[in-house]
Amino acid sequence: MRKQEQESVISSRFAILFFLVFALLEGSFFIDAKGALTLPDPNIHAYSSYALATGQILNKPERQRDEFGNTIKIQPITGDSRFLDLTGYRNSLVASIISDSSSYDPNVGLQRSADQSATGKTITVASGTHRNRSNQYFPAIYLPQAIGIWVGLHTHQPPYRTWQYGRLSNLLVYMLLFCLSIAVMPKGKMFLAVIGIIPPGMFIASSLMADSLFISLSALFIALFLAITTRQGQASRKGMITLSILAVLLFMCKIIYASLAILILALPKRILLTKRKALYLGISAGLSLCIYCVWSVVYGTALAQASVSTNLEFILRHPFRMVLSIFWNFMQEPRKLLGLGAPALEFVIILGLSWGLLFHNSHPTTRKIGSSREFISRYRYQLISLLAFAILTFLIYASLLLTWNNLPTMGIADQIQGMQARYFEPFLPLLACTGFHPSEDTKIEDCEETAVGSTSD
């Protein structure tokens, strides 16, 4: 196995080099040109990173009720006001921040002004003007940023440079995970490299945002899954345990991203027996739920702009109306993407060409498909990736409908508030599944019968 891994890395060298060159160029530009506190939801990402770096991420929260009657938990974080005041922050969408890539962020000077004081007063942020949301996501996902911030704090760096250290460590983790994904990917390595360097993703990777971990873990999960699909024998225990761990990590990132685990169901029985599928999925789900539910009950909370209980009651009474609203809004996404202008068009064209090349170089069967069962078996990976995308999309919109919209007053064609394009970026590696098919030298029927004489794990 070690020799095979070495050969995989060697065969990946061009794609990895391509990714590293562009990732370093883009990442360096964004770290220099865009402010450390210029990002979506700085009161989540900056506060969570600081809280984890200072060991306060599990501070006991206080239960309160918001203006809509929802029960929320407010976590107090205490520290240097030069950090916790978030001086000069800019809460803006990723598309808005990178829309003019030639200009420098005017907020950088104001954010650097926090360095002018040698020391700051000790303050506690919880609610009120600071709107601390450090306990919105599972704390471990901020480990990449927290490492750099911890280094900055313990080497007595000024605040802005400390935030920059957090961005740098986040970028390095992103690059490491993507390089590993490219090495693991059996084919289509350049396509995965292109996904890794699209400008919105690279800005996220070079910021304090946890979304960079969502994207890179998704890429690694799909790369490992596709590597398993190319095996001639049964999937190894080590490979499936690793895939299960990645599924748990995706669950901790955001529950909806754990839906990628359904890809495992598409593996033919010659690769993974049904009982083993149930075992790995069951263990992953059980472990994820145990850890996440305990954290969620004690610490976790979410910001809502509507009454969640009222919206939930409305959805239960009108489920079909919710489905129509989601479908309508999803169909509007291409139009909104085109409305973002030249930068959006550029990376859509680049990504489209890369995907087209991947699809062209795939080798579907020349054998005539005579039944729907054969069609499903032949295109199992494409169909399951489409299903995963549909489930993920539905869950994203459904969660926003519950928390960010007043459903009883909405029409089907009304825009669902709270949607951001970055929520779709962890889905992009799913496109790689279009270039994979069951082995040509394996009969279709072999995919449906119990494997005999499985290889040793």
PDB file of all heavy atoms in Angstrom, residues 10 21 56 91 124 137 144 147 159 192 228 233 237 325 364 413 425 457:
ATOM      1  N   ILE A  10       3.448  10.669  -6.969  1.00  0.00           N
ATOM      2  CA  ILE A  10       4.288  10.983  -8.131  1.00  0.00           C
ATOM      3  C   ILE A  10       3.426  11.334  -9.336  1.00  0.00           C
ATOM      4  O   ILE A  10       3.686  12.312 -10.045  1.00  0.00           O
ATOM      5  CB  ILE A  10       5.222   9.797  -8.449  1.00  0.00           C
ATOM      6  CG1 ILE A  10       6.242   9.622  -7.318  1.00  0.00           C
ATOM      7  CG2 ILE A  10       5.914  10.015  -9.789  1.00  0.00           C
ATOM      8  CD1 ILE A  10       7.090   8.381  -7.450  1.00  0.00           C
ATOM      9  N   VAL A  21       1.055  26.590  -6.755  1.00  0.00           N
ATOM     10  CA  VAL A  21       1.485  27.875  -7.315  1.00  0.00           C
ATOM     11  C   VAL A  21       0.344  28.887  -7.274  1.00  0.00           C
ATOM     12  O   VAL A  21       0.496  30.017  -6.773  1.00  0.00           O
ATOM     13  CB  VAL A  21       2.005  27.693  -8.756  1.00  0.00           C
ATOM     14  CG1 VAL A  21       2.189  29.051  -9.441  1.00  0.00           C
ATOM     15  CG2 VAL A  21       3.318  26.924  -8.760  1.00  0.00           C
ATOM     16  N   GLN A  56     -11.514  29.461  25.659  1.00  0.00           N
ATOM     17  CA  GLN A  56     -12.817  29.873  26.178  1.00  0.00           C
ATOM     18  C   GLN A  56     -13.988  29.339  25.366  1.00  0.00           C
ATOM     19  O   GLN A  56     -15.138  29.714  25.610  1.00  0.00           O
ATOM     20  CB  GLN A  56     -12.919  31.407  26.196  1.00  0.00           C
ATOM     21  CG  GLN A  56     -11.863  32.088  27.051  1.00  0.00           C
ATOM     22  CD  GLN A  56     -12.080  33.587  27.093  1.00  0.00           C
ATOM     23  OE1 GLN A  56     -12.999  34.078  27.734  1.00  0.00           O
ATOM     24  NE2 GLN A  56     -11.223  34.320  26.389  1.00  0.00           N
ATOM     25  N   ASN A  91     -18.633  43.488   7.484  1.00  0.00           N
ATOM     26  CA  ASN A  91     -19.460  42.304   7.288  1.00  0.00           C
ATOM     27  C   ASN A  91     -20.049  42.363   5.885  1.00  0.00           C
ATOM     28  O   ASN A  91     -20.964  43.132   5.608  1.00  0.00           O
ATOM     29  CB  ASN A  91     -20.569  42.266   8.341  1.00  0.00           C
ATOM     30  CG  ASN A  91     -21.404  40.989   8.261  1.00  0.00           C
ATOM     31  OD1 ASN A  91     -21.107  40.088   7.466  1.00  0.00           O
ATOM     32  ND2 ASN A  91     -22.442  40.911   9.058  1.00  0.00           N
ATOM     33  N   THR A 124     -15.755  41.841  28.218  1.00  0.00           N
ATOM     34  CA  THR A 124     -16.485  40.596  27.960  1.00  0.00           C
ATOM     35  C   THR A 124     -17.531  40.865  26.904  1.00  0.00           C
ATOM     36  O   THR A 124     -18.307  41.818  27.011  1.00  0.00           O
ATOM     37  CB  THR A 124     -17.156  40.074  29.238  1.00  0.00           C
ATOM     38  OG1 THR A 124     -16.147  39.776  30.208  1.00  0.00           O
ATOM     39  CG2 THR A 124     -17.951  38.808  28.950  1.00  0.00           C
ATOM     40  N   TYR A 137     -21.183  27.222  15.762  1.00  0.00           N
ATOM     41  CA  TYR A 137     -20.684  26.013  15.113  1.00  0.00           C
ATOM     42  C   TYR A 137     -19.844  25.199  16.086  1.00  0.00           C
ATOM     43  O   TYR A 137     -19.294  25.720  17.052  1.00  0.00           O
ATOM     44  CB  TYR A 137     -19.850  26.361  13.881  1.00  0.00           C
ATOM     45  CG  TYR A 137     -20.642  27.006  12.767  1.00  0.00           C
ATOM     46  CD1 TYR A 137     -20.347  28.293  12.342  1.00  0.00           C
ATOM     47  CD2 TYR A 137     -21.690  26.326  12.149  1.00  0.00           C
ATOM     48  CE1 TYR A 137     -21.071  28.892  11.320  1.00  0.00           C
ATOM     49  CE2 TYR A 137     -22.421  26.910  11.139  1.00  0.00           C
ATOM     50  CZ  TYR A 137     -22.113  28.195  10.729  1.00  0.00           C
ATOM     51  OH  TYR A 137     -22.836  28.782   9.724  1.00  0.00           O
ATOM     52  N   PRO A 144      -7.905  25.259  12.651  1.00  0.00           N
ATOM     53  CA  PRO A 144      -6.890  25.826  11.749  1.00  0.00           C
ATOM     54  C   PRO A 144      -6.598  27.294  12.030  1.00  0.00           C
ATOM     55  O   PRO A 144      -5.426  27.704  12.073  1.00  0.00           O
ATOM     56  CB  PRO A 144      -7.517  25.630  10.363  1.00  0.00           C
ATOM     57  CG  PRO A 144      -8.408  24.448  10.515  1.00  0.00           C
ATOM     58  CD  PRO A 144      -8.978  24.565  11.899  1.00  0.00           C
ATOM     59  N   ILE A 147      -4.882  27.976  15.646  1.00  0.00           N
ATOM     60  CA  ILE A 147      -3.449  27.679  15.763  1.00  0.00           C
ATOM     61  C   ILE A 147      -2.628  28.946  15.516  1.00  0.00           C
ATOM     62  O   ILE A 147      -1.733  29.292  16.294  1.00  0.00           O
ATOM     63  CB  ILE A 147      -3.041  26.568  14.775  1.00  0.00           C
ATOM     64  CG1 ILE A 147      -3.666  25.235  15.190  1.00  0.00           C
ATOM     65  CG2 ILE A 147      -1.515  26.446  14.707  1.00  0.00           C
ATOM     66  CD1 ILE A 147      -3.460  24.130  14.166  1.00  0.00           C
ATOM     67  N   PRO A 159      -2.508  43.037  17.500  1.00  0.00           N
ATOM     68  CA  PRO A 159      -3.771  42.388  17.130  1.00  0.00           C
ATOM     69  C   PRO A 159      -3.919  42.066  15.639  1.00  0.00           C
ATOM     70  O   PRO A 159      -4.280  40.940  15.288  1.00  0.00           O
ATOM     71  CB  PRO A 159      -4.822  43.398  17.587  1.00  0.00           C
ATOM     72  CG  PRO A 159      -4.185  44.099  18.733  1.00  0.00           C
ATOM     73  CD  PRO A 159      -2.733  44.212  18.369  1.00  0.00           C
ATOM     74  N   LEU A 192      -9.826  18.650  -9.891  1.00  0.00           N
ATOM     75  CA  LEU A 192      -9.893  18.926  -8.455  1.00  0.00           C
ATOM     76  C   LEU A 192      -8.998  20.104  -8.094  1.00  0.00           C
ATOM     77  O   LEU A 192      -9.360  20.929  -7.242  1.00  0.00           O
ATOM     78  CB  LEU A 192      -9.485  17.676  -7.664  1.00  0.00           C
ATOM     79  CG  LEU A 192      -9.861  17.660  -6.180  1.00  0.00           C
ATOM     80  CD1 LEU A 192     -11.373  17.761  -6.009  1.00  0.00           C
ATOM     81  CD2 LEU A 192      -9.338  16.393  -5.511  1.00  0.00           C
ATOM     82  N   ILE A 228     -11.806   4.532  -3.806  1.00  0.00           N
ATOM     83  CA  ILE A 228     -12.350   3.226  -3.410  1.00  0.00           C
ATOM     84  C   ILE A 228     -13.133   2.601  -4.559  1.00  0.00           C
ATOM     85  O   ILE A 228     -13.122   1.379  -4.747  1.00  0.00           O
ATOM     86  CB  ILE A 228     -13.222   3.377  -2.150  1.00  0.00           C
ATOM     87  CG1 ILE A 228     -12.335   3.699  -0.942  1.00  0.00           C
ATOM     88  CG2 ILE A 228     -14.043   2.116  -1.883  1.00  0.00           C
ATOM     89  CD1 ILE A 228     -13.103   4.027   0.324  1.00  0.00           C
ATOM     90  N   GLY A 233     -11.019  -5.299  -5.816  1.00  0.00           N
ATOM     91  CA  GLY A 233     -11.581  -6.164  -4.786  1.00  0.00           C
ATOM     92  C   GLY A 233     -12.378  -5.370  -3.773  1.00  0.00           C
ATOM     93  O   GLY A 233     -12.826  -4.251  -4.033  1.00  0.00           O
ATOM     94  N   ARG A 237     -10.422  -2.084   5.108  1.00  0.00           N
ATOM     95  CA  ARG A 237     -10.949  -1.577   6.379  1.00  0.00           C
ATOM     96  C   ARG A 237     -10.385  -0.191   6.677  1.00  0.00           C
ATOM     97  O   ARG A 237     -11.100   0.700   7.135  1.00  0.00           O
ATOM     98  CB  ARG A 237     -10.586  -2.541   7.509  1.00  0.00           C
ATOM     99  CG  ARG A 237     -11.150  -2.109   8.867  1.00  0.00           C
ATOM    100  CD  ARG A 237     -10.802  -3.089   9.979  1.00  0.00           C
ATOM    101  NE  ARG A 237     -11.482  -4.360   9.804  1.00  0.00           N
ATOM    102  CZ  ARG A 237     -10.877  -5.508   9.523  1.00  0.00           C
ATOM    103  NH1 ARG A 237      -9.559  -5.522   9.362  1.00  0.00           N
ATOM    104  NH2 ARG A 237     -11.545  -6.635   9.374  1.00  0.00           N
ATOM    105  N   SER A 325     -41.373  26.514  -3.151  1.00  0.00           N
ATOM    106  CA  SER A 325     -40.589  27.714  -2.888  1.00  0.00           C
ATOM    107  C   SER A 325     -39.097  27.438  -3.049  1.00  0.00           C
ATOM    108  O   SER A 325     -38.364  28.249  -3.631  1.00  0.00           O
ATOM    109  CB  SER A 325     -40.880  28.229  -1.477  1.00  0.00           C
ATOM    110  OG  SER A 325     -40.118  29.382  -1.192  1.00  0.00           O
ATOM    111  N   PRO A 364     -17.128   5.926 -20.786  1.00  0.00           N
ATOM    112  CA  PRO A 364     -18.321   5.137 -20.515  1.00  0.00           C
ATOM    113  C   PRO A 364     -18.359   3.884 -21.374  1.00  0.00           C
ATOM    114  O   PRO A 364     -17.678   3.787 -22.397  1.00  0.00           O
ATOM    115  CB  PRO A 364     -19.462   6.101 -20.869  1.00  0.00           C
ATOM    116  CG  PRO A 364     -18.868   7.035 -21.867  1.00  0.00           C
ATOM    117  CD  PRO A 364     -17.430   7.189 -21.461  1.00  0.00           C
ATOM    118  N   ALA A 413     -43.035  32.506  -4.862  1.00  0.00           N
ATOM    119  CA  ALA A 413     -42.014  33.134  -5.706  1.00  0.00           C
ATOM    120  C   ALA A 413     -41.192  34.179  -4.973  1.00  0.00           C
ATOM    121  O   ALA A 413     -40.352  34.836  -5.582  1.00  0.00           O
ATOM    122  CB  ALA A 413     -42.675  33.761  -6.929  1.00  0.00           C
ATOM    123  N   GLU A 425     -20.217  25.809  -2.377  1.00  0.00           N
ATOM    124  CA  GLU A 425     -18.844  25.438  -2.767  1.00  0.00           C
ATOM    125  C   GLU A 425     -18.413  24.041  -2.331  1.00  0.00           C
ATOM    126  O   GLU A 425     -17.701  23.364  -3.066  1.00  0.00           O
ATOM    127  CB  GLU A 425     -17.858  26.501  -2.274  1.00  0.00           C
ATOM    128  CG  GLU A 425     -18.030  27.828  -2.992  1.00  0.00           C
ATOM    129  CD  GLU A 425     -16.736  28.610  -3.117  1.00  0.00           C
ATOM    130  OE1 GLU A 425     -15.663  27.992  -3.181  1.00  0.00           O
ATOM    131  OE2 GLU A 425     -16.814  29.844  -3.141  1.00  0.00           O
ATOM    132  N   ASP A 457      -8.045  -7.138   4.434  1.00  0.00           N
ATOM    133  CA  ASP A 457      -7.965  -5.724   4.798  1.00  0.00           C
ATOM    134  C   ASP A 457      -6.545  -5.397   5.232  1.00  0.00           C
ATOM    135  O   ASP A 457      -6.259  -4.228   5.390  1.00  0.00           O
ATOM    136  CB  ASP A 457      -8.948  -5.410   5.929  1.00  0.00           C
ATOM    137  CG  ASP A 457     -10.395  -5.445   5.418  1.00  0.00           C
ATOM    138  OD1 ASP A 457     -10.631  -5.007   4.276  1.00  0.00           O
ATOM    139  OD2 ASP A 457     -11.257  -5.893   6.180  1.00  0.00           O
TER     140      ASP A 457
END
